Amino acid sequence: MEYNFSEIEKKWQEYWKENKTYQVTEDTTKSKFYVLDMFPYPSGAGLHVGHPLGYIASDIYSRYKRLKGFNVLHPMGYDAYGLPAEQYAIQTGQHPAITTEQNIRRYREQLDKIGFSFDWSREIRTCEPGYYKWTQWAFIQMFNSYYCCDKQQARPISELIEAFELQGTKDLNIACTEERTFSAEEWKAMSEKEKQETLMNYRIAYLADTMVNWCPALGTVLANDEVSEGFSIRGGHPVEQRKMKQWSLRVSAYAQRLLDGLDTIDWTESLKETQRNWIGRSEGAEIKFNLSPQGKGEFTVFTTRPDTIFGVTFMVLAPESELTRQLTTPEQEAAVNEYIRLTKSRTERERIADRKVTGVFSGSYAINPVNGKEIPIWIADYVLAGYGTGAIMAVPGHDSRDYAFAKHFNLPIIPLIEGADISEESFDAKEGIMMNSGFLNGLTVKEAIEKAKEYIAENGLGKVKVNFRLRDAIFSRQRYWGEPFPIYYKDGMPYAVDEKDLPIELPNVDKFLPTETGEPPLGRAKDWVYEEK
C-alpha cells in the first residue's frame, strides 16, 4: 500500500494543532526535560537546509524523552533583530518590524510543514519589548556591578563607592581597565562627572574606546565573521579598523573562573583544551623600556619569556597602538601613515593567520633595561593592540615570527641557548642551558625564567604578571533594529534608567541610516528623552 505522506502528514499536523499535543503545563508527577534549539534569524529567503538539520535531531530526542514519560518543554523562537532587516528597510523604506513579521510567518509555515513538536505557546521573539525588557534589565545589573578579584564575583557598584569613601583604592583587588591609585580624600574631592568617569574604569558593562571593524557604507560595526579580506560579507563594502567608543562587557575579569570551571564540567578533553587555548592564560613579566635618549619616556611590554631579554634586538608596536603615533619621528611619518592605512582594511583574525612579513621603522629607539643597548622600534601588523600592552620585545633567535621579521629586514639575531642552530629558523624549544645572557648564563631555561622574574621585580624594572588572551566583549550597536541600551546621559556621562521604567522601547525615526554627522540611526529620534524622577 502506497504511503500517502501529504495526506497523512496534513491530517496529523492538524490533529496536533487542534489538540495542543505539544503544549506543556506544569506536572509534578513527571520528570522535567528541557530541549532548546538555537533560534533562527527570520530572513526573507526562508529556512535553509542547516535549520532542519539541527531541529530534526533535537525533535527526535524530544519525542524519545516524551515517550519515556518525561514532561518535555521544547519551545521555539526567533532571533528577530539584525542587520539584514535594517538594510532591507533602508532600501525599501519599509519599517523593519513589517518585514520581520512577514519573514516569521514564512518560517512558521515551513516549520509546521516539517511537523516539529514545538510548544508554540512559549514562542519568543527577541524584537518584542516583553522579551528585551529582560536583556535591558541584565545590562543594568552589569552596569551597576564591579568585579571583586578576592571574592571572585560581581558585587554592587554601591559597595565600591563606599570603599572609595573610606579608603580610596588602598588594599582593593578589583578588575579594571587601567590601574589607578587615589585616596579617600581625593575621591571625595572629585566632581560628580569625575566620579562617574572613575567608576567607568571598574564597571562590568562599561564604555571605552575600542578598535572595531567599521563599515561606512552600512553605517555599523561588524563582527570578524561579517568581514572577509577587508570587505563586508553583506554587500561587499570596504571595512576599516577604527577606534570608536563602544559598550563592552568585562569578560576578562572572569578568565580565571572560566579556566577553573572547565575542570568541573562533563566535556570532552579536546573541547576543554580548545577553551583553555581561547582563554589563553600566560604567566610572565611586564617590563619597562625607557626610550632613547633617556628622559623621553617609557613604555611596557608583557612577555612570558623574561629569560630572553638579552636576545631582544628590536621592539614591535601594533599599528593601532597609541604609542605608534607618539614614537614615530617626522622623517618616518609618511611611511608609517601609509602602513597604518593599509592595515586598517584587515581584521585581527586575518592579521594573525597571515604569515606574510610586513612592517615599517618608527624612527625611535628603546633601551634594553638589562644591558643598556639601543633597540630600534618597528611597527608591524602581527602585533595586536588588544593583547598585553600592544608592544612586544622581539627575540628573533627564539620566536618564529620575530625570526622571519628579522631576516626580512636584516636585523640582528642572537642565540641564547647553548648549541641552538639559528642558521635557518628560530630555536623555539623551551629547554637548554642559557648563554649570551649575562647573569642568567649557565642556568636552565626554567631556572632562568624564575631568576629573570625575580631580577625584574627586585630592580624595579617591572612586575610579575598573569595575562589572558581572552578579551572583553564589545557589546555595541550602531544599528536601528535592535534593543536600545537602557542608558541616558547627563553631562556627557551614562546613567542607568530606573528598572521600573523598563522596557525602553525603540523610537520612530524618519530614516534607518546613521545621521549626516555620523551618529547612529537612533540619533534621528525626536523628543526621545528620559526624565529623572
Side-chain angles (χ1 to χ4, degrees), residues 387-460:
Y387 181 70
T389 63
I392 67 162
M393 57 180 224
V395 185
H398 302 277
D399 180 272
S400 58
R401 294 205 76 161
D402 293 347
Y403 184 91
F405 195 90
K407 280 287 188 182
H408 186 83
F409 291 104
N410 198 27
L411 297 167
I413 302 174
I414 302 172
L416 301 175
I417 306 293
E418 291 181 6
D421 180 4
I422 58 168
S423 58
E424 299 296 330
E425 60 183 0
S426 59
F427 183 81
D428 295 349
K430 297 180 181 179
E431 55 187 31
I433 304 300
M434 302 295 294
M435 69 175 189
N436 296 330
S437 299
F439 62 89
L440 300 176
N441 283 339
L443 299 177
T444 65
V445 169
K446 189 175 181 180
E447 293 168 339
I449 290 173
E450 295 308 313
K451 180 75 174 177
K453 285 181 186 176
E454 291 173 15
Y455 183 87
I456 289 162
E458 289 171 1
N459 289 274

Side-chain angles (χ1 to χ4, degrees), residues 465-529:
K465 189 176 180 181
V466 173
N467 222 345
F468 294 93
R469 182 179 292 112
L470 182 71
R471 282 179 276 169
D472 291 343
I474 297 175
F475 190 68
S476 189
R477 179 185 56 76
Q478 278 71 43
R479 304 164 185 168
Y480 171 76
W481 194 231
E483 69 268 37
F485 287 98
I487 292 291
Y488 68 98
Y489 290 83
K490 185 171 65 175
D491 195 19
M493 294 305 299
Y495 292 79
V497 305
D498 195 304
E499 288 180 19
K500 67 178 173 55
D501 295 324
L502 297 178
I504 301 298
E505 297 188 30
L506 275 177
N508 288 318
V509 295
D510 56 353
K511 294 181 187 175
F512 306 111
L513 285 165
T515 67
E516 287 70 21
T517 55
E519 293 178 55
L522 290 179
R524 295 182 179 277
K526 309 293 186 209
D527 302 321
W528 193 49
V529 296

Side-chain angles (χ1 to χ4, degrees), residues 290-292 299 314-317 323 327 360-367 375-379:
N290 288 317
L291 297 172
S292 178
F299 64 96
F314 60 100
M315 314 289 289
V316 184
L317 302 178
L323 286 168
L327 300 184
V360 62
F361 179 45
S362 71
S364 293
Y365 293 82
I367 299 171
I375 314 163
I377 302 172
W378 285 70
I379 297 147

Side-chain angles (χ1 to χ4, degrees), residues 12-22 108 112:
W12 285 105
Q13 286 173 17
E14 286 177 358
Y15 176 89
W16 296 336
K17 185 178 179 181
E18 289 169 10
N19 291 274
K20 299 179 179 177
T21 302
Y22 302 118
R108 174 66 189 272
D112 283 344

